[in-house]
């Protein structure tokens, strides 16, 4: 249940306040959940909402950030022993 509430929070807080809040919330999500694949969906949705430019990387900035974050979490999953809290 906590994971669903955090998923809804990570969608609505950047929509209400600003896009840059997605970055610290995604980092916090990786720390708390360990492998939160739902941040890719949120990054994809926020890319449609905010305009960053016309290039491929600019159009999909938040999606690429969340994918890189998940890849780093997968790589560090074997190296770092952290506790899953949510």
């Amino acid at each position: 249940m906590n994971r669903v509430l955090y998923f809804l929070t990570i969608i609505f807080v950047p929509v209400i306040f600003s896009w840059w809040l997605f970055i610290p919330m995604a980092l916090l999500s990786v720390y708390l959940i360990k492998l939160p694949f739902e941040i890719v969906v949120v990054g994809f949705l926020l890319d449609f909402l905010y305009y960053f430019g016309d290039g491929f990387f600019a159009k999909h900035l938040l999606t690429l950030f969340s994918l890189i974050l998940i890849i780093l979490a997968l790589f560090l999953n074997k190296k770092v022993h952290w506790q899953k809290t949510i």
Side-chain angles (χ1 to χ4, degrees):
M1 184 66 178
N2 291 337
R3 197 166 176 165
V4 173
L5 290 174
Y6 192 77
F7 174 70
L8 293 173
T9 304
I10 203 169
I11 289 175
F12 290 118
V13 169
V15 168
I16 293 170
F17 294 107
S18 183
W19 66 269
W20 64 270
L21 286 173
F22 172 75
I23 294 171
M25 291 183 77
L27 289 170
L28 183 66
S29 175
V30 168
Y31 177 72
L32 293 176
I33 301 172
K34 192 160 117 175
L35 291 175
F37 292 107
E38 60 266 9
I39 64 170
V40 177
V41 174
V42 176
F44 183 72
L45 292 172
L46 290 175
D47 279 336
F48 280 113
L49 186 64
Y50 293 109
Y51 177 75
F52 296 112
D54 284 332
F56 176 77
F57 293 111
K59 280 186 179 179
H60 305 291
L61 183 68
L62 299 175
T63 305
L64 291 173
F65 173 76
S66 59
L67 283 173
I68 290 170
L69 199 61
I70 292 295
I71 290 170
L72 283 173
L74 283 171
F75 175 71
L76 292 175
N77 192 21
K78 305 244 166 112
K79 307 275 187 221
V80 177
H81 299 288
W82 60 52
Q83 298 291 328
K84 179 179 142 181
T85 59
I86 292 182

